[in-house]
Amino acid sequence: REGCVGTADSKWVVIANPTAGGGRARRAARAATAALAQSGLPAELLFSREPGDAAVLARRAVAEGAAAVVACGGDGTIAEVLPALAETGVPLGVLPAGTANDFARGLGIPLQLSGAIDILVRGRPRAVDLGFAGDRLFCTVAAFGFDAEVSQAMVEGRVPIAGTLGYVYACLRQLPVFQPPTVRLSGEFGQIEGPVLLVATGNTPSYGGGMKIVPAADPFDGKLDICIVSPVSRWTVMAVLPRVFSGSHVNHPAVRMVRSSWLQIDTGESRVLLADGEHLTRTPARIETRPGALDVILATDPSR
């Protein structure tokens, strides 16, 4: 119990989306609640019933003095609880039981249940950066352009396959009809103008279930990594797409990588931005980092 958060007198709150991961989140939440109790950390298990519920439950947990709040589900569940926990000092525990789990990947939290529970029991809180745009926080990647339209298709249920396979399927469906927008991008790198295929702004490296769109993104450096892809043929997109899983797409001549604590996106017509698998805002938009805004329970790592 040396690394535990809280004491035997403090209560943890586990918030689970029971439908996440085809029911996997329900089982994971129950196992984690039992493991915490066995470690001398009493925990209350709460299930969300509809979109927005997790946010309400998290706010209540913070108001009632919870020692920690554990989000059990996917990146969407985590995104819901962020506003309640950010800059409060109440740490977030992550039980990755959704479809993509890219926030967990970016923080080195095991996707296997036993490993994730072990971090909850033995880990320590560490301040992690968040992203912010419009009036919303996000934890992984803010997508604009082609990838945002792909994600929008998935959010709206227009893709019959879930997860990474569904993302690739949606890419192939959107390619023939996508029209690259003309943008003006401003940041600490200066200004970039012209048509783009996509602009991905990452607090953590991946989206879509391990697609490393900004492979060098570090949620501890106070910066956002930005991937800007110029328009290319659909055949080039299909050829380069597999390279996103390893992050080697960054070497393609159509790809430009920059880093900034903020990014202003201006477009001729309003376009959607998505993050953490949810609607974020619309252009024109300013995306910025919130350094160390969230305490997350992570494995003790002396190299950090």
Side-chain angles (χ1 to χ4, degrees):
R1 288 203 1 98
E2 290 181 10
C4 291
V5 175
T7 68
D9 298 323
S10 60
K11 184 178 71 173
W12 288 46
V13 175
V14 179
I15 299 172
N17 174 359
T19 63
R24 187 168 70 251
R26 182 187 294 273
R27 296 188 294 274
R30 286 178 172 153
T33 303
L36 288 167
Q38 191 171 9
S39 298
L41 295 166
E44 179 181 9
L45 173 57
L46 304 172
F47 290 109
S48 59
R49 298 181 180 179
E50 58 186 12
D53 257 8
V56 173
L57 296 173
R59 284 196 298 270
R60 186 183 306 156
V62 171
E64 293 177 355
V69 173
V70 178
C72 183
D75 294 322
T77 302
I78 294 169
E80 274 201 44
V81 306
L82 290 182
L85 298 179
E87 298 175 345
T88 64
V90 178
L92 170 71
V94 178
L95 274 179
T99 304
N101 305 309
D102 286 297
F103 190 52
R105 294 173 196 271
L107 294 176
I109 296 172
L111 301 188
Q112 297 79 14
L113 178 60
S114 60
I117 290 176
D118 188 64
I119 286 179
L120 292 181
V121 172
R122 303 177 186 276
R124 287 283 189 183
R126 185 169 179 213
V128 172
D129 302 342
L130 294 176
F132 181 80
D135 60 353
R136 291 193 56 185
L137 295 162
F138 67 93
C139 58
T140 59
V141 178
F144 166 77
F146 178 69
D147 50 351
E149 295 198 11
V150 169
S151 296
Q152 183 75 12
M154 297 188 71
V155 169
E156 294 175 355
R158 291 185 276 128
V159 180
I161 313 166
T164 306
L165 200 59
Y167 189 92
V168 173
Y169 173 85
C171 283
L172 299 179
R173 287 284 301 272
Q174 291 293 118
L175 267 176
V177 298
F178 178 75
Q179 296 296 317
T182 297
V183 304
R184 182 171 68 249
L185 306 173
S186 307
E188 292 167 349
F189 52 83
Q191 199 167 94
I192 299 171
E193 294 190 56
V196 296
L197 178 71
L198 64 86
V199 179
T201 306
N203 179 52
T204 56
S206 68
Y207 60 8
M211 302 178 73
K212 298 176 183 176
I213 190 69
V214 280
D218 182 349
F220 304 100
D221 67 359
K223 298 285 186 179
L224 297 164
D225 279 42
I226 304 157
C227 176
I228 305 162
V229 183
S230 300
V232 292
S233 72
R234 76 176 69 172
W235 306 113
T236 300
V237 173
M238 292 172 66
V240 174
L241 185 61
R243 293 168 59 178
V244 179
F245 289 96
S246 65
S248 62
H249 65 288
V250 301
N251 300 316
H252 192 277
V255 177
R256 179 172 178 178
M257 304 297 298
V258 295
R259 184 170 287 158
S260 178
S261 64
W262 61 276
L263 174 69
Q264 176 70 34
I265 304 177
D266 293 303
T267 55
E269 59 178 308
S270 181
R271 294 282 188 121
V272 68
L273 276 79
L274 281 85
D276 305 333
E278 307 289 339
H279 181 273
L280 182 63
T281 187
R282 298 188 69 89
T283 60
R286 180 183 172 93
I287 306 171
E288 57 189 50
T289 186
R290 294 287 173 87
L294 180 70
D295 288 340
V296 183
I297 301 169
L298 300 175
T300 303
D301 183 357
S303 67
R304 282 290 189 183

